[in-house]
Amino acid sequence: MDMSKMVVWRLIDVFVLLAALLTAAGSGAPSSAAYAVAADAAGAARALPGSLWFDAPAAATLTADDGRFTDGLGREVVLRGYNVSGETKLAENGGLPFASVADARKSAAALRALGGGNTVRFLLSWAYAEPVRGQVDTAYLAAATDQMRAFLDAGIRVFPDFHQDLHSRYLFDEDSWYTGDGAPKWVVEAGDYPDEFCGICLFWGQNITQNEAVKQASYDFWHNAGGVQDAFLDTAQTTMTYLAQHLTADQFARVAGFDPYNEPHADTYDSGQTSRTWEREVLWPFYEKFRDRMDEAGWRNKPAFVEPNLFWNANLAFQKQEGGLLDAGTLGPRYVFNTHFYDQRAISGIFMPGKAGDGQYAADFAAVRDRADATGTAAVVSEFGHPLSGAVSDKAPTVLKAMYQALDSRLPGADWWSRPTDSGPVLSGTQWQWDIYNGRHHELMNGNPDKVQTEGDAWNGEDLSAVRLDDAGAPVLRQDARLLDRLYPSATAGRTVAFTYEDRSRDGSTTLTWNPVPDYLPHVAELVGSGQYGLLLWRSDGTGAPTELHLPASFPTSATTVVSDLGTVSGPPAYAESAPVAVAPEPGGTGSRRLLLTAPDSGTLHYALVTNGATAPSADLLSAARAELASWAAAHA
């Protein structure tokens, strides 16, 4: 289908949807019947397995504005998932995340069912998209699109990313200790760069500031030497146009936006330039150009997921640089504030000798919330993680727990119950990474047949993948399922007031409990026991569709207890509009599930405790716990 026809049909879908809503809804909040009419008219035959009446209009749009993502029904949305994947940085599968579409489908189903994700950052390679200057490889784009469909058809939102690290693999010698990814070979050959050398580099990232070849190549890109940045923008526009034309309308609706450039950094500043002025004078104009290309490619209603200077939120003082798009003004809804966070102190093995604890990253992630709020848009932490092997891998269970805790709330667990309304918005995030080939690679490092990389992620000694394949070829988690498959509010009908989740994840044989139920709520504590629990406070807005929380596999329906002002139930029923508390499959047919809480009123404060700690709790215990929570919510929220 050509672009003009595609646009016409999408406009028809939109007008039919609006007409059906206005006709059937009347006054007040639209009913399920109204949404059902609209969904049917707009193509409900394309609905994913497990879809309910509200899913099609909800998935139709994703907007970033006023500090939050919202779906087509105006519900707050939290994006959680993984990067798919570092395999794109390797040559063994031609710059694609997977060797086959079948592997992509296997990975997508596991990411949803085992990892609890609803979103992926989908890596693409400029080197493979444009191997010859001015000639985009449509076979590569077709293969990447086919693999992307595997995630979209599993009900997973996608935002693509043209990934780069150290500018390009072609900068590095065949026998180098390091490698890169990103720019094509022709870019490097045109640059006549010095022989790469990092000096005393213990970490690959030191090449950014110490390797002259990397520094000069990056400088040339940012200053468009020889038109190289223009060539990248042309390829990006062609890629986005291809995706818009070759994905179906409902698949394209689940594409959340585009990440223009991974971890931007000047590498070399002009005379008198600072990190802040570089962001304003060099980086932001690039993003504006990319934004224009998105509009021309048919992505006008999707945001650009823009990253600030790589080191703006470094947690080592000597690496931290002023930044965070401080001079960009209001970003939403055309841009998302997109950043990464790794604990450099913990990874160093020197600056943080112990392990992470309760509230370890509260301030770091609060800074992300504050920047997004100041720019009037939503935030996403599109990379975070920690090595799972090597000298500092013993810190991983606590570091990752503390990072997820900071995504859920800006408060330490010790403070949450006493001042929940200071939690701030629940942050979106995609962990680095989800690579089913972890430990099974066959990568010729820099094309050298004498340096075949098989272990870990097969890239610069990294090993961060949350998943691998077992000997039978089935995906299995490499981290505690309690940590990764989490309860979180994937869609809130109204405004989130506060959220917390105690995952009870483990550090070896030790169960980590950083947010115990306080003693002054004895019946709630008895109900939760030693189990996992989450607590959501939200203020309704009259939306007819329910609030949704992802239910981890550790919350089978029979063992799930919900205590809410909407109702108290052990073993919630299957969803029906008459049931205020219910469960249902998540769309996509992967076996993942969601809890649905329906509150059709407006402006009312609601609460819901969800736990798997009780076995057939008595009616008296449920009633007592509900009374305690009602009193607590009235006093604190």
Side-chain angles (χ1 to χ4, degrees):
M1 181 182 294
D2 64 40
M3 178 61 76
S4 61
K5 290 180 181 177
M6 180 184 67
V7 170
V8 169
W9 280 112
R10 287 193 181 147
L11 285 172
I12 290 173
D13 275 358
V14 169
F15 286 130
V16 170
L17 176 65
L18 289 173
L21 286 174
L22 291 171
T23 301
S27 60
S31 67
S32 62
Y35 286 126
V37 170
D40 286 342
R46 299 189 298 269
L48 297 176
S51 292
L52 296 171
W53 58 267
F54 51 85
D55 287 320
T61 59
L62 182 74
T63 303
D65 199 13
D66 194 24
R68 60 180 185 159
F69 290 106
T70 53
D71 66 15
L73 301 178
R75 298 180 302 173
E76 285 187 352
V77 168
V78 174
L79 309 178
R80 286 287 176 90
Y82 304 85
N83 283 259
V84 176
S85 76
E87 173 69 19
T88 301
K89 298 159 68 169
L90 308 181
E92 63 183 2
N93 282 324
L96 292 166
F98 301 99
S100 66
V101 173
D103 279 0
R105 292 195 187 107
K106 179 189 296 186
S107 181
L111 187 146
R112 195 85 152 128
L114 299 179
N118 66 8
T119 303
V120 296
R121 181 175 181 242
F122 192 96
L123 274 58
L124 298 170
S125 169
W126 179 22
Y128 286 91
E130 191 187 8
V132 177
R133 182 164 192 162
Q135 298 180 24
V136 174
D137 186 347
T138 55
Y140 174 79
L141 297 186
T145 303
D146 285 343
Q147 294 185 8
M148 193 179 296
R149 283 193 189 97
F151 290 85
L152 297 169
D153 290 344
I156 297 170
R157 294 187 188 269
V158 169
F159 61 100
D161 156 49
F162 261 121
H163 207 79
Q164 74 80 38
D165 290 291
L166 308 183
H167 191 70
S168 174
R169 67 181 290 134
Y170 300 106
L171 284 170
F172 291 85
D173 299 330
E174 189 178 68
D175 60 349
S176 177
W177 286 7
Y178 300 105
T179 190
D181 72 287
K185 187 176 183 178
W186 61 262
V187 172
V188 174
E189 289 177 340
D192 190 27
Y193 299 115
D195 190 42
E196 59 90 11
F197 179 67
C198 192
I200 303 175
C201 287
L202 301 179
F203 302 97
W204 69 259
Q206 291 175 265
N207 283 274
I208 296 170
T209 55
Q210 294 179 217
N211 191 322
E212 284 301 319
V214 173
K215 292 169 65 177
Q216 291 185 31
S218 297
Y219 183 91
D220 283 353
F221 176 85
W222 292 119
H223 291 78
N224 199 25
V228 65
Q229 188 183 112
D230 289 339
F232 171 79
L233 291 169
D234 289 343
T235 298
Q237 181 177 341
T238 300
T239 300
M240 289 186 285
T241 300
Y242 188 95
L243 289 169
Q245 291 178 339
H246 289 82
L247 295 172
T248 66
D250 56 312
Q251 288 169 343
F252 190 60
R254 289 189 287 279
V255 176
F258 208 107
D259 185 342
Y261 196 91
N262 179 67
E263 296 182 351
H265 186 259
D267 294 74
T268 300
Y269 292 112
D270 288 323
S271 177
Q273 197 172 53
T274 66
S275 57
R276 179 168 181 172
T277 60
W278 179 81
E279 278 194 351
R280 182 176 68 238
E281 298 166 0
V282 178
L283 181 61
W284 189 251
F286 166 74
Y287 286 149
E288 290 181 315
K289 293 176 185 176
F290 197 97
R291 178 67 262 182
D292 290 341
R293 300 302 186 103
M294 291 179 70
D295 294 348
E296 293 171 15
W299 293 54
R300 180 174 297 277
N301 294 325
K302 298 181 185 295
F305 285 57
V306 293
E307 302 182 35
N309 164 33
L310 167 62
F311 296 120
W312 83 278
N313 61 342
N315 70 345
L316 284 173
F318 61 84
Q319 284 198 325
K320 191 176 181 67
Q321 299 177 0
E322 186 180 25
L325 305 179
L326 295 170
D327 302 305
T330 301
L331 301 184
R334 289 174 56 78
Y335 300 91
V336 168
F337 186 79
N338 171 20
T339 188
H340 297 174
F341 183 80
Y342 293 93
D343 187 344
Q344 298 164 308
R345 296 186 302 125
I347 292 173
S348 73
I350 299 170
F351 298 101
M352 191 185 100
K355 297 184 178 183
D358 180 27
Q360 185 88 16
Y361 306 116
D364 297 295
F365 284 62
V368 175
R369 288 179 172 88
D370 291 343
R371 282 306 304 140
D373 183 63
T375 57
T377 191
V380 61
V381 183
S382 63
E383 282 191 31
F384 61 96
H386 190 83
L388 300 183
S389 64
V392 298
S393 60
D394 64 310
K395 303 177 191 293
T398 58
V399 166
L400 266 296
K401 179 180 174 74
M403 289 181 177
Y404 275 111
Q405 180 193 51
L407 286 172
D408 289 344
S409 170
R410 65 192 297 157
L411 294 173
D415 296 340
W416 192 89
W417 285 92
S418 61
R419 49 190 184 98
T421 55
D422 291 337
S423 284
V426 181
L427 281 177
S428 295
T430 51
Q431 181 178 331
W432 184 272
Q433 64 162 325
W434 190 268
D435 175 17
I436 61 173
Y437 306 118
N438 176 271
R440 295 176 179 270
H441 292 283
H442 189 83
E443 172 71 4
L444 279 60
M445 185 174 179
N446 298 319
N448 188 340
D450 295 325
K451 296 190 71 174
V452 179
Q453 306 296 299
T454 60
E455 298 180 355
D457 302 335
W459 195 85
N460 284 339
E462 289 197 335
D463 184 15
L464 286 87
S465 178
V467 70
R468 64 177 178 87
L469 296 178
D470 65 14
D471 291 341
V476 293
L477 295 179
R478 300 180 64 227
Q479 296 173 269
D480 188 353
R482 300 185 192 192
L483 171 72
L484 298 181
D485 189 13
R486 307 178 63 79
L487 188 84
Y488 62 91
S490 52
T492 301
R495 281 279 187 172
T496 300
V497 175
F499 176 71
T500 189
Y501 180 53
E502 178 48 76
D503 57 43
R504 311 268 196 194
S505 58
R506 291 155 291 199
D507 180 9
S509 61
T510 302
T511 298
L512 303 172
T513 302
W514 292 352
N515 190 1
V517 178
D519 293 339
Y520 59 80
L521 299 172
H523 295 99
V524 176
E526 180 183 352
L527 186 68
V528 169
S530 60
Q532 299 165 288
Y533 81 88
L535 180 53
L536 174 68
L537 294 169
W538 77 104
R539 194 170 296 280
S540 59
D541 65 356
T543 300
T547 289
E548 301 183 35
L549 291 96
H550 169 71
L551 277 179
S554 59
F555 282 70
T557 301
S558 61
T560 297
T561 298
V562 180
V563 178
S564 172
D565 64 296
L566 300 174
T568 302
V569 60
S570 179
Y575 176 75
E577 290 186 64
S578 59
V581 180
V583 295
E586 289 177 318
T590 61
S592 59
R593 297 167 307 116
R594 49 185 166 166
L595 179 71
L596 302 176
L597 305 169
T598 302
D601 50 22
S602 181
T604 303
L605 180 71
H606 297 283
Y607 63 86
L609 173 81
V610 188
T611 183
N612 60 5
T615 301
S618 68
D620 287 345
L621 177 58
L622 292 174
S623 177
R626 182 176 181 176
E628 286 179 353
L629 282 174
S631 177
W632 170 83
H636 293 280

